[in-house]
């Protein structure tokens, strides 16, 4: 890096950029996955969930933009290609095609568990290196958690149990929730 943010060491900036790049690819994957669900969801309550997803796509695309521009601000080059997503991700491609509202939301719950857990890990990593980046990630996590609640509210019984509780894969979660 020829430059980075004032007061930040190049070593710290490199560590932050590595974390940000992985989260950028996670968000680029997530907004595509959300559109895939928007297009593939069928059955009872279709329109509510179809339309619930689009504002979240816009939010996540905006968050990807924020992370990419933070990488550039720190003096590095953000990678926004499909190949970068494939290379950066340690998780599997979303596994459901055309399926019911409940099946998709059961699986999407697990997607958000993964995304939010990893964002919290990134908060911890960047907090030691760059509190400005940490602050960005904290704000994003709060909104991701709010949407996660929207998803879970569809899976929740009046006693507060989730229909997909204990699921270990998206397909398992979909089967339990369906
Ligand atoms: Fe659409």
């Amino acid at each position: 890096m020829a430059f980075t943010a004032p007061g930040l060491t190049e070593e710290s900036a490199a560590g932050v950029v590595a974390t940000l790049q992985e989260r950028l690819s996670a968000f680029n994957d997530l907004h595509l996955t959300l559109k895939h669900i928007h297009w593939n969801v069928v059955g009872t309550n279709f329109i509510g969930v179809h339309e619930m997803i689009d504002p979240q796509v816009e939010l996540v695309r905006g968050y990807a933009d924020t992370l990419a521009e933070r990488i550039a601000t720190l003096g590095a080059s953000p990678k926004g290609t499909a190949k970068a997503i494939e290379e950066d991700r340690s998780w599997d491609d979303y596994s459901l095609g055309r399926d019911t509202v409940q099946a998709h939301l059961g699986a999407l719950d697990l997607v958000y568990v993964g995304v939010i857990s990893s964002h919290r890990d990134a908060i911890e990593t960047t907090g030691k290196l760059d509190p400005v980046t940490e602050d960005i990630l904290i704000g994003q996590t709060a909104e991701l958690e709010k949407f996660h609640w929207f998803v879970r509210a569809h899976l929740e019984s009046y006693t507060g149990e989730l229909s997909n509780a204990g699921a270990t894969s998206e397909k398992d979660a979909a089967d339990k929730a369906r």
Side-chain angles (χ1 to χ4, degrees):
M1 280 182 281
F3 68 88
T4 191
L8 197 65
T9 66
E10 284 215 14
E11 193 184 1
S12 291
V16 173
V17 163
T19 299
L20 284 170
Q21 177 59 50
E22 193 269 346
R23 300 320 297 147
L24 171 60
S25 286
F27 279 163
N28 282 334
D29 192 5
L30 179 61
H31 68 70
L32 293 171
T33 295
L34 287 164
K35 269 296 186 189
H36 171 84
I37 295 170
H38 172 82
W39 296 322
N40 275 288
V41 71
V42 294
T44 309
N45 300 323
F46 159 80
I47 197 66
V49 172
H50 175 78
E51 291 189 350
M52 178 181 87
I53 286 173
D54 263 349
Q56 186 70 11
V57 171
E58 292 306 312
L59 184 87
V60 174
R61 288 200 72 196
Y63 283 176
D65 190 50
T66 300
L67 298 188
E69 291 179 359
R70 184 69 187 156
I71 291 171
T73 300
L74 295 178
S77 165
K79 298 186 199 78
T81 61
K83 190 161 178 245
I85 298 173
E86 187 64 30
E87 284 174 359
D88 287 338
R89 69 178 177 180
S90 54
W91 54 93
D92 294 327
D93 216 29
Y94 186 71
S95 56
L96 274 63
R98 181 172 57 199
D99 216 320
T100 64
V101 162
Q102 290 308 112
H104 274 297
L105 293 177
L108 187 57
D109 173 38
L110 263 61
V111 172
Y112 268 74
V113 167
V115 169
I116 290 166
S117 300
S118 297
H119 234 57
R120 280 182 175 268
D121 291 343
I123 288 168
E124 200 174 331
T125 305
T126 57
K128 295 175 192 128
L129 303 170
D130 175 26
V132 179
T133 296
E134 180 194 26
D135 184 57
I136 292 169
L137 297 175
I138 289 170
Q140 293 181 341
T141 303
E143 288 301 312
L144 293 171
E145 289 181 350
K146 184 178 172 188
F147 184 77
H148 192 200
W149 164 55
F150 282 18
V151 171
R152 284 181 156 175
H154 291 79
L155 306 169
E156 194 176 352
S157 73
Y158 76 98
T159 55
E161 307 291 320
L162 293 176
S163 59
N164 65 346
T168 53
S169 69
E170 288 166 6
K171 292 224 190 260
D172 185 25
D175 285 342
K176 285 187 156 82
R178 200 181 274 116

